[in-house]
Amino acid sequence: MGEHNSKMNRYNWLCVLYVTFGAVFYGYDSACTTSVLGYTSFLEYFSLDSTTIGAMGSAYYAGAVVGMASNWYLPNKYGRIRTIQIGCLASLLAAAMQTGAHSYGVFVAGRVIGGFASGLIFVVCPAYASEIAPPKMRGRIGGLYSYAAFKFINGLGFYFIKGNVSWRLLLGCQLIPGTLMFACSFLMPESPRFLAYVGRYDEALAILKKMHGTTHDDTFYIREFHQIKAQIELDREERLGLKAIWQRPSYRKRFLLVFWYAIACMLSGVIVIQNYQVILYTNVGFSNVMSLILTGVWGCVGTLSAIYAALCFDLMGRRPTMFISYFLIVAGTLTTCITWAIYENGGSTNRSLAKGIIAAMFFVGLGYGGPANAFLATYPAEIMPTSVRPVGVAVSYMTQHVLIIILVQFTPQAIETISWKFFLIFVCSSFVFAIVFVLFYPETRNKTLEEIEAVFGDKVAETLDEAAQHIKVEHVDEKAQAQGHVSPVAVHEEGTDKEHTA
């Protein structure tokens, strides 16, 4: 397929940093569900019990599912950037409602709207990131996307403020990501693949040049443009769209891979640990303050995990990195079950056992926090064609969040009634999926989005090497372009036609 030598220039890096901020947007918002449960003033203000706590959490994720489902329509209709702006505005309304809530109903309504905003942004951002990143950098961007660990530490910082001000400040900080992301969105370019998809080829080429035109390889963006254009035109000729998801076997396979991985993510047990870790910590004898400190440690573990995932995804590949991930997840959930069972059956006075439970939970966080999160942010967007990419990513996160709603709603009761036995579900599920992953998930490292078509048996309209043969590699005289009013797209296409004629 040829070597892809493009490196990210400064402008491309700024765009990537912006889009990965969507993870912070979602991460802090969802983390409020975790940290705020450690605030006694919050629990007393709304008179919460295990049922209303579950409803509060599941309401947020229900809103997120609706936001994610909106990606079936909004990104391909209005563009990736406009979709992000809609989500930002919704988030500001949601944060204001939660921060100023004087009743449980208003607070939950704010969580629903906040979930919608987060779901909308959290899905469109990986699709957008995959469309602007060079092939050799997509894995690192997935790692960056899972890098939002600081969210848990804020819960400890606000805890020591007296009264209801503490939790209102914690929730009020949700205004910051939405405001920043909305303000910066006006400086961001639209996705070049979306622009090509809607026929705005001149704009697409100009953005690709700005992002991927470097002194290291100043021909990559031209070859990339012709490959994108050829693939979109081929898809149109074959009339591939949403209906292809059901009609084309290769598309069905991709959606099944996305669907099953999303299920596997939630049946790893990580959402149970993340959302209810304060309850788990207090159940084994830790104080509220120490529980909040441990949530900060959990965040730091996630940070370390995201760093090694970002490095390994592009250097080692997706599959080897995920092998490490699932080894840690299976080992962590199994050890959690064993130590928790011993602790409850006569070892509750042994502080070493309590620490062992926590250490085992952190093993799950180390395995999931970086690789599994990065894979979810990278792989679905990689394997989906341009016409259905936002839909594929939406299906991934929607499936995940439907399961989150179920788990978040019933976990408090499950912990109260069956305790450590609840985690046996996660041990078995992760072990089974690790085998499924080895058998059915292909490697996508270092391939352009268009070349990934071949991995699933579909036709690649034009490889980068073929694109190089069909275009004029040398730079076009800018003065001649200006005098003849010829766009770069027209010049390159003219060169292609002449070669075919010859």
Side-chain angles (χ1 to χ4, degrees), residues 230-496:
Q231 193 67 44
I232 288 174
E233 289 175 349
L234 175 63
D235 290 349
R236 284 200 178 120
E237 287 174 11
E238 297 181 351
R239 297 185 177 181
L240 297 179
L242 288 178
K243 64 180 181 180
I245 298 170
W246 296 274
Q247 295 177 349
R248 194 161 185 154
S250 63
Y251 278 41
R252 285 200 301 272
K253 179 179 179 180
R254 299 185 215 196
F255 268 81
L256 284 173
L257 292 179
V258 164
F259 177 74
W260 285 115
Y261 181 71
I263 292 176
C265 282
M266 291 304 93
L267 293 185
S268 67
V270 71
I271 198 66
V272 171
I273 297 173
Q274 177 178 298
N275 276 37
Y276 295 114
Q277 56 186 303
V278 171
I279 295 175
L280 295 173
Y281 299 147
T282 54
N283 278 2
V284 294
F286 291 101
S287 67
N288 279 358
V289 173
M290 181 54 69
S291 296
L292 288 172
I293 291 173
L294 287 172
T295 61
V297 176
W298 171 270
C300 292
V301 169
T303 300
L304 293 174
S305 182
I307 291 171
Y308 88 74
L311 294 174
C312 292
F313 255 38
D314 286 322
L315 295 176
M316 294 170 51
R318 282 47 162 167
R319 283 172 58 85
T321 307
M322 290 303 296
F323 295 159
I324 298 172
S325 172
Y326 267 92
F327 172 79
L328 293 171
I329 290 172
V330 172
T333 50
L334 180 60
T335 307
T336 298
C337 282
I338 294 171
T339 51
W340 196 347
I342 297 173
Y343 181 84
E344 285 196 351
N345 294 318
S348 57
T349 58
N350 189 333
R351 298 304 297 166
S352 296
L353 276 176
K355 293 175 182 177
I357 296 171
I358 305 308
M361 288 165 53
F362 286 170
F363 258 92
V364 179
L366 185 64
Y368 184 93
N373 263 335
F375 192 84
L376 192 65
T378 305
Y379 201 75
E382 285 184 324
I383 67 175
M384 291 297 166
T386 298
S387 60
V388 294
R389 182 167 294 116
V391 178
V393 179
V395 165
S396 174
Y397 283 110
M398 284 171 62
T399 303
Q400 183 190 52
H401 280 69
V402 168
L403 281 173
I404 288 176
I405 293 168
I406 298 170
L407 290 171
V408 167
Q409 180 64 54
F410 295 108
T411 289
Q413 296 94 322
I415 292 175
E416 283 183 5
T417 54
I418 60 174
S419 186
W420 62 269
K421 300 179 185 70
F422 185 46
F423 273 73
L424 289 174
I425 298 171
F426 310 129
V427 177
C428 297
S429 299
S430 296
F431 180 77
V432 169
F433 184 76
I435 297 173
V436 172
F437 186 91
V438 171
L439 295 176
F440 297 107
Y441 284 72
E443 182 61 69
T444 56
R445 173 176 172 260
N446 286 350
K447 290 179 170 59
T448 67
L449 296 180
E450 288 67 36
E451 288 171 348
I452 290 174
E453 297 285 326
V455 174
F456 294 92
D458 287 326
K459 182 180 178 182
V460 178
E462 192 171 80
T463 68
L464 290 179
D465 289 343
E466 290 167 346
Q469 295 171 6
H470 293 157
I471 65 174
K472 291 181 178 179
V473 180
E474 56 273 5
H475 294 290
V476 179
D477 189 313
E478 294 182 2
K479 185 176 180 181
Q481 284 188 45
Q483 291 174 348
H485 303 287
V486 181
S487 73
V489 177
V491 172
H492 293 313
E493 288 177 344
E494 182 184 348
T496 302

Side-chain angles (χ1 to χ4, degrees), residues 15-29:
C15 293
V16 164
L17 289 175
Y18 168 80
V19 79
T20 54
F21 193 73
V24 177
F25 185 105
Y26 173 89
Y28 184 86
D29 210 22

Side-chain angles (χ1 to χ4, degrees), residues 20-94:
T20 54
F21 193 73
V24 177
F25 185 105
Y26 173 89
Y28 184 86
D29 210 22
S30 62
C32 286
T33 304
T34 302
S35 297
V36 80
L37 295 179
Y39 287 58
T40 304
S41 57
F42 172 79
L43 299 175
E44 292 176 349
Y45 188 87
F46 292 116
S47 302
L48 298 178
D49 55 27
S50 61
T51 301
T52 51
I53 288 173
M56 177 190 81
S58 58
Y60 172 82
Y61 291 111
V65 170
V66 176
M68 291 166 181
S70 300
N71 280 275
W72 283 58
Y73 175 75
L74 293 176
N76 277 354
K77 177 66 176 178
Y78 299 108
R80 284 40 166 166
I81 294 297
R82 190 69 68 198
T83 301
I84 290 173
Q85 290 171 342
I86 293 170
C88 289
L89 291 176
S91 76
L92 298 181
L93 172 62

